[in-house]
Amino acid sequence: MTRKSLLVGSAAALALVVTACGEKPDAANAEAAAEAPAEEANLPEISVSDAELEGNPFRQEWDTPYGVPPFAEIEDAHYMPATKKAILELRADIDAIVSNPEEPDFENTIVALDTAGASLNRVLGVFSNITNTDTNDTLSELEAEIWPMLTRETDAISFNDALFTRVKAVYDQRDRLGLDEQDARLLELTHREFVRNGAALSPEVKAEVAAINEELSGLTTKFGRNLLLSTKAFKIEITDEAELAGLSDDFKSALKVDGEDKWVLTVDRSVYETFMTQSENRELREKMFDGYRLRASEGEYDNGPLAIKIAQLRAKRAELMGYKSHAHYQLEPRMAKTPKGAEEFLLKVWEPGLERAKEERAAMQEMVGDEFQIAGHDWWHYAEKVRQDLYAFDDNALKPYFELGAVRQGAFDVASRLFDITLEPVEVDGWNPVVTAYDVKDANTGEHLGLFMMDMYARDSKRGGAWMSSYRNTSNINGDDIRPIITNNLNLITPAEGEPTLMRFDEVETLFHEFGHGLHGLLTQIRYSTFSGVDGPRDYTEFPAQILEHWAGAPEVLADYANHYETGEPIPMELIDKMNAAATFNQGFKTTEFIAASLLDLRWHMLTSEEAAEITDAREFERKVLEEYGLLPEIEPRYRSQYFSHIFAGGYSAGYYAYLWSEILDADGFTAFRETGDIYDPELAARLKKWVYEAGGLREADELYRNFRGSDPTIEPLLKLRGFAEQPSEG
């Protein structure tokens, strides 16, 4: 694993202090050297025998296309011994740096850290991905063991005084070393991370922080597991087809159990949103609504106590490290800088969004009259009815034009025109039969840039949502050019056998979004894995994904890829016009549900240690926060605390606002293309490629954006795209 966290990865994705792209150290020397540093750091002894490692794929060369892991050969039993062996080798790598008799310099300390732990990177690159896509009970039990184990190791590195002394010695002479830009950035980020991880703390405080980190690792892993199990446990079986009134034929076919007159509803997001929009059955909508929003909120899977404990531990850790709150710690290196800065930004969009939501609620209530009072489980359904009434536009009319293969090719064509790359399908054995793979090359030179793999369908073993991840990160040290293996994951409904995969337009945008993350990982030209690929502060890293969404709905792009799956006819311009006219409809709801979750995230993590200690009921805390901001009772936050895995099991704590913050950048950035009159403008596309997709974390995020755009972003394009342009705003 690398120092950076994955963008959308495992609940236990760890921000390790080292990256792991170097050569594998000698095994015998690794075991011998590991003993001393383990004792000094008070780490538990780890032992693994040759017999346990015999035949282990992680200890062998992978003679596979593109160096893809040999998934068919990897068994659950291989992970633990391979992890133990890799930890021993990581300890040896660190000890070799610390015990080096030569004076610390850039190569023997900073580069050595960047390349340490290669075999650990290899194991965890597979383990963290497979536990997200094809998990089982055994893997879940392994997660509960492996992630806390890794937390102990990374803390030992962060708190290694001798190691930090060497890092600081190099950093203190940085202006005299003649480093190029990438070297200097690696040194800067290495030193910064040691300091932010607590390297300068007293031994007593380090011990407290380490204990908190280990406990948090176990709690966040359990939070994610509870959510997965509670989500998969909820099912509604329908045997009377009349109860499915309003559902489209293709959606009903996808829900039907093979060989039985039975349909099964789940609360996987794609199923939930489609059902809530289409279903005429108000009672069933309410059951689905409650099933979705009450996940992981009771019984053995209740995440409420876990959320409280996680927030308390994070607040205590922040206090120990000298910060007012976890949010203050997290936002220090980000574009928003402070919790107040993030909150003030959110409220600029919240206020017009909330007013628009009230108008939307009134329009729906007018439609139903006195029959009943609009409730949360009515919003999706009646919002769609109002939209059809206002714009004569039915979202289902779009789906025949958005077949998965065509949409994927449309995204590929956009990337090819913008960035001069090619993506060709290749035969590679993936982790699941549904995975497809593509060789990404520079169109001008034919140079291999990376392998791109896509896993598009939902299944019980796969976590919900959509994300980008990697099996191998980029590195180019001493000419050893290692290119990435990047993955995109969606959770589309598997169609009935023989039927096409037809997508809602929001799913089309999601595919383009994740592909934007994928390109950020694939196109990188940074030699050090520490800041190559998907890198930068959380409120910037969504920008490369979100800007690509704008091409998905551009009329000139739709004309290329949105063809009827049966007739091949291009999408009618009339339908495009209606879709664009309706684009800002229901933005009040969409804006407030998102910002409600973002504000909830901030408030959980703005708690001081004393304030957090007083929280005893997660639902009550949540209720008070949302009432304070004036959220309409008919609107649920996009994520309630018990299933807010982004912040309690992933890397978005005090950072969920980042999606909207990045929307300032993507709206402003795409406006630049529109202003040229050519959404493929070569000069602007070249700057976007160089300063965003290729640059990783080469410079601070605001500078990277200015180098692309030529100026700082303003909020006006965001408000305009959401239909709030008439509202007063500040740049």
Side-chain angles (χ1 to χ4, degrees):
M1 297 290 282
T2 65
R3 187 186 330 233
K4 59 196 175 194
S5 300
L6 296 178
L7 183 67
V8 187
S10 165
L14 299 174
L16 300 192
V17 174
V18 297
T19 60
C21 295
E23 292 298 315
K24 182 171 63 177
D26 178 78
N29 291 339
E31 287 191 14
E35 296 175 5
E39 291 173 2
E40 292 169 9
N42 199 29
L43 287 168
E45 182 180 347
I46 290 178
S47 63
V48 58
S49 67
D50 290 341
E52 291 176 276
L53 293 168
E54 186 175 358
N56 193 306
F58 291 108
R59 305 306 302 175
Q60 301 167 358
E61 294 298 323
W62 291 347
D63 185 19
T64 57
Y66 305 95
V68 168
F71 296 104
E73 299 175 17
I74 297 172
E75 301 173 2
D76 294 349
H78 290 141
Y79 288 111
M80 182 57 82
T83 299
K84 288 181 176 180
K85 183 67 172 180
I87 287 174
L88 291 174
E89 292 173 347
L90 172 62
R91 289 178 180 179
D93 289 346
I94 299 303
D95 186 52
I97 298 170
V98 171
S99 60
N100 190 329
E102 298 178 3
E103 289 297 311
D105 61 28
F106 180 74
E107 290 293 332
N108 69 25
T109 299
I110 307 304
V111 175
L113 267 172
D114 187 77
T115 58
S119 58
L120 186 58
N121 185 58
R122 199 183 202 206
V123 178
L124 297 183
V126 178
F127 181 69
S128 62
N129 278 292
I130 294 299
T131 52
N132 277 326
T133 61
D134 294 274
T135 195
N136 55 45
D137 291 342
T138 299
L139 291 177
S140 294
E141 292 171 2
L142 283 172
E143 282 190 286
E145 293 183 69
I146 286 176
W147 295 126
M149 182 188 305
L150 264 293
T151 299
R152 289 192 294 270
E153 298 298 324
T154 56
D155 279 344
I157 295 170
S158 295
F159 299 150
N160 188 315
D161 289 333
L163 183 60
F164 180 56
T165 296
R166 291 184 67 92
V167 170
K168 188 175 184 301
V170 181
Y171 181 76
D172 287 345
Q173 56 179 318
R174 60 193 179 280
D175 295 334
R176 303 189 300 275
L177 298 178
L179 303 177
D180 69 16
E181 184 174 21
Q182 291 199 31
D183 293 345
R185 185 63 169 168
L186 177 64
L187 174 55
E188 177 187 6
L189 292 176
T190 301
H191 179 265
R192 177 192 297 181
E193 186 151 3
F194 267 94
V195 173
R196 282 183 53 78
N197 285 346
L201 299 174
S202 69
E204 295 76 19
V205 174
K206 285 180 182 178
E208 286 189 72
V209 171
I212 289 173
N213 287 344
E214 185 171 350
E215 187 173 1
L216 280 170
S217 181
L219 291 172
T220 55
T221 300
K222 186 176 180 181
F223 187 104
R225 179 61 176 164
N226 281 352
L227 176 55
L228 176 65
L229 292 173
S230 64
T231 299
K232 300 308 178 185
F234 183 90
K235 287 182 172 62
I236 298 176
E237 293 188 356
I238 306 296
T239 55
D240 181 359
E241 190 171 359
E243 293 191 59
L244 303 178
L247 303 190
S248 61
D249 290 340
D250 66 307
F251 184 47
K252 282 198 294 186
S253 295
L255 298 176
K256 195 172 186 300
V257 177
D258 289 341
E260 299 183 50
D261 289 328
K262 182 168 66 175
W263 297 261
V264 176
L265 297 171
T266 69
V267 284
D268 288 322
R269 189 72 183 187
S270 291
V271 174
Y272 175 75
E273 289 187 5
T274 304
F275 180 84
M276 297 300 288
T277 301
Q278 295 183 1
S279 175
E280 300 282 353
N281 189 327
R282 189 167 189 250
E283 181 181 346
L284 200 52
R285 287 203 311 270
E286 185 173 11
K287 288 182 180 178
M288 285 287 284
F289 182 72
D290 287 340
Y292 186 84
R293 72 192 186 102
L294 297 178
R295 289 176 297 155
S297 64
E298 58 186 7
E300 62 177 317
Y301 302 140
D302 187 359
N303 272 339
L306 292 181
I308 293 171
K309 187 63 176 176
I310 290 169
Q312 290 172 340
L313 288 171
R314 286 172 174 168
K316 180 61 177 177
R317 181 177 61 186
E319 179 183 69
L320 289 169
M321 298 181 75
Y323 292 85
K324 182 178 180 181
S325 72
H326 180 70
H328 284 82
Y329 170 78
Q330 289 287 83
L331 270 66
E332 183 181 55
R334 296 180 182 172
M335 297 183 78
K337 303 302 182 186
T338 66
K340 182 179 179 181
E343 183 183 36
E344 288 178 347
F345 157 68
L346 289 172
L347 292 178
K348 285 182 182 179
V349 191
W350 169 263
E351 290 162 3
L354 194 60
E355 290 307 307
R356 182 63 56 81
K358 292 175 182 177
E359 296 171 7
E360 292 164 0
R361 178 179 62 181
M364 290 186 289
Q365 192 63 57
E366 183 179 358
M367 173 174 280
V368 302
D370 297 329
E371 185 178 351
F372 55 82
Q373 199 71 24
I374 286 289
H377 55 275
D378 297 313
W379 198 294
W380 290 82
H381 183 68
Y382 283 96
E384 179 62 18
K385 284 185 176 295
V386 172
R387 181 169 74 155
Q388 291 180 27
D389 187 53
L390 288 175
Y391 301 100
F393 174 68
D394 181 359
D395 199 40
N396 282 319
L398 291 173
K399 292 182 70 173
Y401 297 95
F402 295 128
E403 185 273 326
L404 173 59
V407 172
R408 177 174 54 216
Q409 189 58 50
F412 288 1
D413 290 344
V414 166
S416 296
R417 292 187 63 179
L418 282 172
F419 305 131
D420 291 325
I421 62 173
T422 62
L423 296 100
E424 297 295 332
V426 290
E427 291 295 325
V428 173
D429 292 331
W431 54 93
N432 189 284
V434 302
V435 174
T436 54
Y438 307 87
D439 186 357
V440 184
K441 295 181 179 179
D442 184 296
N444 298 313
T445 66
E447 177 188 1
H448 171 70
L449 297 175
L451 186 72
F452 181 54
M453 306 180 78
M454 302 182 79
D455 183 349
M456 296 288 99
Y457 295 104
R459 49 187 178 270
D460 284 346
S461 62
K462 189 178 183 183
R463 75 174 176 89
W467 67 96
M468 165 267 184
S469 188
S470 65
Y471 276 91
R472 183 177 67 215
N473 293 313
T474 300
S475 176
N476 187 358
I477 299 173
N478 299 322
D480 187 12
D481 190 14
I482 299 171
R483 295 306 300 175
I485 298 174
I486 300 296
T487 77
N488 272 181
N489 294 270
L490 269 64
N491 268 282
L492 300 177
I493 301 168
T494 303
E497 187 174 355
E499 295 296 318
T501 301
L502 303 181
M503 304 171 67
R504 303 191 314 268
F505 185 66
D506 65 311
E507 293 172 330
V508 172
E509 289 182 308
T510 298
L511 185 147
F512 272 74
H513 176 104
E514 297 305 335
F515 185 45
H517 282 312
L519 291 170
H520 200 189
L522 289 161
L523 300 183
T524 184
Q525 292 299 312
I526 300 300
R527 76 175 69 100
Y528 298 113
S529 63
T530 292
F531 59 99
S532 70
V534 180
D535 200 82
R538 184 65 70 187
D539 45 13
Y540 169 81
T541 52
E542 290 301 326
F543 164 56
Q546 289 177 192
I547 193 171
L548 206 68
E549 292 182 42
H550 292 275
W551 276 268
E556 52 267 61
V557 178
L558 288 167
D560 288 336
Y561 78 87
N563 300 311
H564 197 284
Y565 80 98
E566 289 181 314
T567 68
E569 295 180 3
I571 189 170
M573 184 55 65
E574 178 187 7
L575 200 53
I576 295 176
D577 290 341
K578 288 181 178 180
M579 181 180 77
N580 288 334
T584 60
F585 178 75
N586 208 34
Q587 276 297 331
F589 170 83
K590 293 177 181 177
T591 298
T592 52
E593 67 141 9
F594 171 82
I595 296 181
S598 301
L599 291 168
L600 184 61
D601 166 34
L602 281 177
R603 292 293 289 274
W604 270 115
H605 293 110
M606 287 167 65
L607 295 169
T608 65
S609 181
E610 293 76 14
E611 291 168 340
E614 295 176 359
I615 306 298
T616 58
D617 187 320
R619 290 191 199 180
E620 180 61 16
F621 173 78
E622 179 179 88
R623 183 190 65 77
K624 288 180 179 178
V625 168
L626 298 176
E627 282 187 359
E628 178 183 328
Y629 288 111
L631 179 65
L632 303 184
E634 297 85 2
I635 296 180
E636 291 282 304
R638 183 172 297 182
Y639 296 99
R640 284 199 173 275
S641 301
Q642 281 91 338
Y643 57 90
F644 207 162
S645 60
H646 281 75
I647 68 169
F648 289 121
Y652 279 80
S653 61
Y656 192 65
Y657 77 92
Y659 289 96
L660 191 62
W661 186 283
S662 290
E663 196 173 326
I664 297 179
L665 307 181
D666 73 70
D668 185 75
F670 190 71
T671 295
F673 278 94
R674 279 295 183 207
E675 288 172 348
T676 70
D678 178 7
I679 61 170
Y680 296 107
D681 180 76
E683 182 179 346
L684 199 56
R687 294 208 304 267
L688 181 65
K689 181 181 182 181
K690 176 179 179 179
W691 291 110
V692 177
Y693 290 96
E694 291 184 341
L698 180 63
R699 299 182 185 178
E700 296 301 303
D702 55 350
E703 184 178 353
L704 292 176
Y705 185 82
R706 280 194 298 272
N707 288 344
F708 149 62
R709 181 66 163 98
S711 62
D712 287 321
T714 65
I715 200 172
E716 279 76 18
L718 181 153
L719 295 175
K720 181 179 180 181
L721 284 172
R722 287 183 172 252
F724 306 150
E726 70 277 14
Q727 299 293 330
S729 63
E730 298 176 8

